[in-house]
Amino acid sequence: MPISLKYNQTAVTYRETAVGQSTIKKAYTVFLASFACHIQPLDSTLAQSLPGSFGKQWMMFCPVADIKEGDKVLVGGTDEYRVVGVETYNFSFNPHMEISLKAFRE
């Protein structure tokens, strides 16, 4: 059974880009407008994902796409996460990505 049949949510990714001609100032802008995914809790306890940063983590399963660490993911228009890990599996009949997420607020 293809893993894509389990995708039951829709997400948007944002990536930091330079503001105007600035080489310092950056802002998040839409990168991938919409894609199907499935997100589930990775662990019920707090964990450290970024140096000095603790929080609960989730795992997102989605089609293979240009998603990188540091991107922001907005799921269902309300839940915001930061990408802290990316694994791509391009084999067999089930190519997909497994992305580690952490809660994120600007």
Side-chain angles (χ1 to χ4, degrees):
M1 174 183 351
I3 193 170
S4 60
L5 293 178
K6 301 293 183 184
Y7 300 159
N8 59 353
Q9 297 167 297
T10 303
V12 176
T13 61
Y14 295 82
R15 188 165 286 166
E16 278 189 313
T17 57
V19 175
Q21 300 297 320
S22 175
T23 58
I24 299 171
K25 190 172 182 180
K26 293 185 177 186
Y28 281 100
T29 57
V30 174
F31 189 72
L32 296 175
S34 181
F35 60 94
C37 65
H38 173 76
I39 296 179
Q40 64 188 35
L42 187 60
D43 194 351
S44 61
T45 60
L46 294 176
Q48 183 175 359
S49 58
L50 301 171
S53 175
F54 291 85
K56 290 188 179 179
Q57 292 188 323
W58 290 263
M59 181 67 71
M60 178 172 76
F61 299 89
C62 66
V64 176
D66 184 10
I67 300 174
K68 298 179 180 180
E69 288 184 25
D71 285 354
K72 184 170 78 168
V73 177
L74 182 65
V75 180
T78 57
D79 299 325
E80 295 180 38
Y81 304 93
R82 179 173 301 222
V83 175
V84 293
V86 177
E87 293 290 333
T88 302
Y89 299 96
N90 275 327
F91 58 87
S92 184
F93 295 105
N94 284 307
H96 68 282
M97 295 180 81
E98 295 181 10
I99 300 174
S100 299
L101 301 172
K102 184 171 179 205
F104 174 69
R105 296 277 181 225
E106 277 190 47

